[in-house]
Amino acid sequence: MTATATEPRQGRPAKDSRPTKSRHVDPTRRGQAVAAWILALPFCALFLVFTAGPVLASLGLSFTDLRSTDVRNPLGVEFVGLTNYADLVSDPLFRKVTLNTLLYLVLGVPLTMAVALGVAVALNRITRLRAFFRVGYYLPVVTSIVAVSVVWKFLLRDNGGLVNVMLAWVGINGPGYLDSTTTALPTLVVMAVWRNFGSLMVIFLAGLQTIPKEISEAAETDGASAWATFRYITLPMLRPTLLFGAVITSIGYLQFFEEAFVMTKGGPLDSTKSVTFFTYEQFGFGNYAYASAAAYLLFLAIVLLTLFQFRLLREKD
């Protein structure tokens, strides 16, 4: 006996027995979805006009020869391809500010993270006045950068600065911290660490409080020292928080600008200029396409560094 054409094949469900998807949508949920899109529409429009649009426009400008003098005659702007990027690579000033930015990164990130982690561990152990110290350490983060810079310039002045006056009491002749090509950049890094470690400290403190105390207490009961407990228990369990802190701190130092702009104007001899400072100057000079190319090189560096940090964490896991 042979199977008829209407019998289902073995191993496959019959056509009529297949589950059918119901296309019925609850009118209430549909109305909520429409209302949500209507509410989100103003934000989407503003984002496209003021964020995504300028970002994409600047990317296109980086491949042209647009200058401020061409704004009134946009038809005269020419497409130059990667010329601006090639000019940046061969520009001595851009190479110098790139080196300065790397120095900000190499000096600032480990120092900021070490200070923030040390203070967070200390605050995690104390019970009294924890809120008071937390507010005190966080206060520089919300302080105006201009006001802070004026105070620091007064403290670090070569002649009559409070730091050098105090050093003179013990017979030390302090240098002009912001006037020397050797000390200006490290001085700005120290100031940046003082101003920024508070926000990272709050993040680290929150991460430390998620670690169960029973684990550390069990290790101490087994005879582990405080350093061994910190190294083999606290640090591994805090690794995701450390990665997040490293990423946001690295991005901050790659965009280093305000401190150098207010305190040194990029000097002396361009020793404190960063890539962001260079981009700002080029926009001021009217080199719009050149500045856009510099901004996108910085963006590329941030993306690569972030991917490297995430890859490093995944390999350690």
Side-chain angles (χ1 to χ4, degrees), residues 207-263:
L208 287 170
Q209 291 176 352
T210 62
I211 300 176
K213 291 184 179 180
E214 292 78 7
I215 300 177
S216 301
E217 292 172 355
E220 293 174 359
T221 303
D222 291 339
S225 63
W227 169 246
T229 304
F230 175 75
R231 180 179 178 184
Y232 296 108
I233 295 177
T234 304
L235 277 183
M237 298 189 72
L238 202 61
R239 187 175 296 158
T241 308
L242 292 174
L243 171 68
F244 176 73
V247 170
I248 63 171
T249 308
S250 300
I251 293 174
Y253 276 100
L254 284 174
Q255 296 176 326
F256 197 88
F257 176 73
E258 292 93 344
E259 291 86 349
F261 181 77
V262 175
M263 295 184 68

Side-chain angles (χ1 to χ4, degrees), residues 190-203:
V190 171
M191 176 193 166
V193 171
W194 171 81
R195 185 171 181 268
N196 298 317
F197 86 90
S199 58
L200 206 57
M201 173 206 69
V202 172
I203 296 173

Side-chain angles (χ1 to χ4, degrees), residues 21-233:
K21 294 182 179 179
S22 174
R23 295 184 179 180
H24 175 72
V25 179
D26 187 356
T28 303
R29 295 188 63 183
R30 180 183 297 173
Q32 290 175 345
V34 172
W37 277 109
I38 292 175
L39 292 174
L41 194 59
F43 167 77
C44 294
L46 292 175
F47 177 79
L48 290 174
V49 173
F50 294 106
T51 303
V55 168
L56 295 176
S58 63
L59 177 60
L61 291 180
S62 68
F63 299 108
T64 69
D65 62 347
L66 178 68
R67 293 177 54 84
S68 59
T69 53
D70 301 325
V71 173
R72 294 183 179 179
N73 183 26
L75 296 179
V77 179
E78 296 182 0
F79 178 79
V80 296
L82 297 176
T83 302
N84 289 322
Y85 294 93
D87 291 344
L88 282 171
V89 174
S90 60
D91 188 340
L93 179 57
F94 184 74
R95 289 204 294 265
K96 184 175 181 59
V97 300
T98 302
L99 178 61
N100 291 342
T101 305
L102 291 177
L103 288 175
Y104 281 126
L105 182 74
V106 172
L107 294 176
V109 173
L111 198 55
T112 303
M113 292 192 65
V115 173
L117 183 60
V119 174
V121 171
L123 289 183
N124 193 43
R125 288 181 173 273
I126 66 173
T127 55
R128 291 184 177 181
L129 300 178
R130 178 187 295 178
F132 171 77
F133 286 113
R134 189 185 305 177
V135 172
Y137 288 126
Y138 191 77
L139 200 56
V141 179
V142 295
T143 307
S144 166
I145 182 62
V146 177
V148 168
S149 299
V150 171
V151 172
W152 274 75
K153 286 184 71 173
F154 174 75
L155 295 175
L156 299 171
R157 252 185 344 190
D158 183 16
N159 186 15
L162 184 59
V163 174
N164 281 348
V165 169
M166 295 177 67
L167 289 176
W169 291 345
V170 293
I172 298 176
N173 186 21
Y177 300 95
L178 299 175
D179 302 326
S180 168
T181 56
T182 306
T183 57
L185 191 146
T187 302
L188 291 183
V189 170
V190 171
M191 176 193 166
V193 171
W194 171 81
R195 185 171 181 268
N196 298 317
F197 86 90
S199 58
L200 206 57
M201 173 206 69
V202 172
I203 296 173
F204 288 163
L205 188 58
L208 287 170
Q209 291 176 352
T210 62
I211 300 176
K213 291 184 179 180
E214 292 78 7
I215 300 177
S216 301
E217 292 172 355
E220 293 174 359
T221 303
D222 291 339
S225 63
W227 169 246
T229 304
F230 175 75
R231 180 179 178 184
Y232 296 108
I233 295 177

